[in-house]
Amino acid sequence: MILRNVSLLALLAAPALVSAAPATGDLGLVQNHLQSVQSMTAAFSQTDRAGKVLTGTLTLKKPGKIRFQYEKGVPILIVGDGSALTFIDYSVKQVQRWPIGNSPLSVLLNPSRDMTRFAKVIPGFDPRIISVEAHDPKHPEYGRITLVFVRDTGAPGGLMLQGWVALDSQNNRTTIRLSNQHFNAPVSDKAFQWNDPRRSLGKN
């Protein structure tokens, strides 16, 4: 799954989408939920197309900050600091950065987007579940994200984000499942700092 993190970053860092307008129906519920969440922490499990599973902790703070901290022994880190997304591979001392932009998944970081321009509800058989597929129609090479929510009156906006499925342009599928979600608690900006393996000292 480690190699698939690059695909995940591409989906996170796709080019700009159109800005805000209200959505309606279940899509409106999703947008309301996302606008109600200013911070989130959760445990995650990540499964690649070969079935390899990695776990870790997700930390999110708006605007624009996100951190995928993988389990001990995995030398990979993904951090969004509000202006750029950074993929760090400590095993080879490699750092890659992308502008955050306004990708499908960046709705988690800045939901003041017009979701009707890049997202739609996918019909399902369970009325408790809302699945929303998002992609940039002008840039199919950045793949698709399907966000999955469950109706939960105790969660912000009445919805709980369960995770998402990312499908890149080569049909490589990455599935993220969330658990132990906590919303709107204080999160320090220090959570989005990282050690630069290219330097002997200091952080970027």
Side-chain angles (χ1 to χ4, degrees), residues 15-184:
L17 299 170
V18 188
S19 57
T24 59
D26 282 346
L27 195 59
L29 291 177
V30 169
Q31 185 156 299
N32 182 59
H33 162 79
L34 294 173
Q35 291 175 341
S36 300
V37 174
Q38 297 306 309
S39 68
M40 181 179 73
T41 59
F44 73 84
S45 65
Q46 177 178 288
T47 307
D48 69 6
R49 65 175 181 172
K52 180 177 176 60
V53 178
L54 297 175
T55 62
T57 302
L58 169 67
T59 305
L60 178 150
K61 181 180 181 180
K62 297 174 184 175
K65 296 181 174 68
I66 195 166
R67 182 184 184 102
F68 292 87
Q69 179 69 57
Y70 288 89
E71 62 194 84
K72 186 176 181 180
V74 177
I76 299 295
L77 179 65
I78 297 175
V79 179
D81 62 5
S83 60
L85 282 159
T86 304
F87 173 86
I88 307 107
D89 186 338
Y90 288 102
S91 66
V92 293
K93 298 184 178 180
Q94 182 182 45
V95 176
Q96 295 174 275
R97 289 171 67 85
W98 288 262
I100 285 179
N102 300 316
S103 76
L105 190 54
S106 75
V107 70
L108 296 175
L109 305 179
N110 186 359
S112 61
R113 304 295 179 225
D114 180 359
M115 294 188 69
T116 64
R117 299 293 184 96
F118 64 92
K120 64 179 180 180
V121 174
I122 305 301
F125 297 103
D126 189 339
R128 299 171 300 173
I129 303 297
I130 300 176
S131 297
V132 173
E133 182 184 78
H135 73 287
D136 185 343
K138 295 182 179 179
H139 295 274
E141 69 273 17
Y142 287 98
R144 295 172 180 266
I145 293 286
T146 301
L147 303 169
V148 180
F149 301 85
V150 63
R151 300 180 195 272
D152 183 339
T153 57
L159 295 179
M160 179 76 75
L161 177 63
Q162 297 294 290
W164 59 84
V165 178
L167 190 67
D168 70 15
S169 57
Q170 285 76 48
N171 288 321
N172 295 308
R173 183 181 300 270
T174 301
T175 301
I176 300 288
R177 295 180 176 87
L178 302 180
S179 60
N180 200 28
Q181 298 93 323
H182 296 281
F183 299 98
N184 297 331

